[in-house]
Amino acid sequence: MKHIPQETLAEFVRQSLPVAHSDSVRKHVAECRECSELAGLFRDIVRVGANEAAYEPPSGIVRTAKAYFVTQQHKMHESKSVVELLFDTLAQPLAAGTRASVASARQLLYRVGTVYVDLRVDSELNSEQAALVGQMLDSAHPGHPVAGVPVILMDGRKNVASTISNNNGEFHLEFLIRSNLRLSVAVGDTPPVYLPITGVEERKRATMPSRGPN
């Protein structure tokens, strides 16, 4: 027995077939178990779709869901706003007569909530290698070093180097110089924060030799 196409059965259930065609499909469905079951499935789908438009979830669940999303938005906003760059030697003016190519190592000081992250980035002029030394101190708990904190240096989403802060909150990383580095620090139960480590690649560039008087 040749079965009715599914598209035709769907139109039959929605009562959108011409009368003559609808009669022939109705007769076939009455005799064919497989097509009858499929038509019944289409009827259930139509019924559920019609009831969905009239369905309203309990008001208590709606209020709970809205309140949850509001709290999550606040948390996202807070997680973005707790990081503050307090000091950066790259933003400080050079002393008179000092050449940029021989400037001291890059120093950065970030605040992550109550935790201060002091960083120093060293690299030899025109070298591919660099080292990052840092220490974390919690102003809310001066007598308790920020120890055992995962510290990950990343290039985009790629892990460049990683370590864990020691009992004094100190850490040390060595890495190949990249142009888009950021330091991932996870303090306590809060999500990791990302501290930009930019400007390192500037010391990698070769300096142009100065010309003397002709």
Side-chain angles (χ1 to χ4, degrees):
M1 178 183 294
K2 185 177 180 181
H3 297 293
I4 302 294
Q6 293 186 11
E7 296 82 0
T8 304
L9 278 176
E11 293 181 4
F12 169 73
V13 170
R14 291 198 299 264
Q15 299 180 359
S16 58
L17 289 176
V19 177
H21 196 181
S22 179
D23 290 342
S24 63
V25 171
R26 184 179 294 102
K27 181 178 179 181
H28 176 89
V29 169
E31 299 173 352
C32 176
R33 179 179 178 182
E34 185 174 340
C35 289
S36 176
E37 291 178 351
L38 187 56
L41 175 62
F42 287 153
R43 289 190 184 94
D44 290 339
I45 294 174
V46 170
R47 184 174 61 256
V48 170
N51 293 336
E52 184 179 3
Y55 173 75
E56 290 187 7
S59 58
I61 293 179
V62 174
R63 287 194 301 271
T64 301
K66 288 182 177 179
Y68 172 79
F69 283 115
V70 169
T71 58
Q72 294 305 305
Q73 288 176 349
H74 286 322
K75 286 182 179 178
M76 291 177 62
H77 178 72
E78 290 171 359
S79 64
K80 293 179 181 178
S81 62
V82 293
V83 179
E84 182 182 2
L85 177 60
L86 301 178
F87 179 78
D88 182 1
T89 52
L90 196 64
Q92 305 302 310
L94 293 176
T98 304
R99 294 178 57 189
S101 59
V102 295
S104 61
R106 177 86 177 278
Q107 291 181 305
L108 298 148
L109 179 61
Y110 282 100
R111 181 182 66 83
V112 184
T114 60
V115 176
Y116 290 83
V117 185
D118 192 5
L119 304 173
R120 178 185 175 95
V121 184
D122 287 293
S123 63
E124 295 293 334
L125 185 62
N126 303 329
S127 173
E128 299 283 342
Q129 293 284 341
L132 187 151
V133 179
Q135 184 177 23
M136 291 180 284
L137 300 172
D138 191 347
S139 60
H141 304 88
H144 298 80
V146 187
V149 173
V151 180
I152 305 173
L153 188 64
M154 306 179 70
D155 179 8
R157 294 187 177 182
K158 183 179 179 181
N159 186 336
V160 175
S162 61
T163 187
I164 295 176
S165 61
N166 63 18
N167 290 335
N168 294 320
E170 302 168 334
F171 54 90
H172 177 269
L173 296 168
E174 294 185 357
F175 56 96
L176 289 174
I177 294 176
R178 302 287 197 279
S179 61
N180 186 31
L181 293 172
R182 54 182 185 160
L183 194 69
S184 170
V185 179
V187 181
D189 297 329
T190 60
V193 294
Y194 299 94
L195 313 178
I197 311 294
T198 57
V200 183
E201 70 279 7
E202 295 297 328
R203 294 180 58 79
K204 176 181 170 183
R205 298 176 183 172
T207 55
M208 297 296 293
S210 59
R211 292 184 179 182
N214 293 329

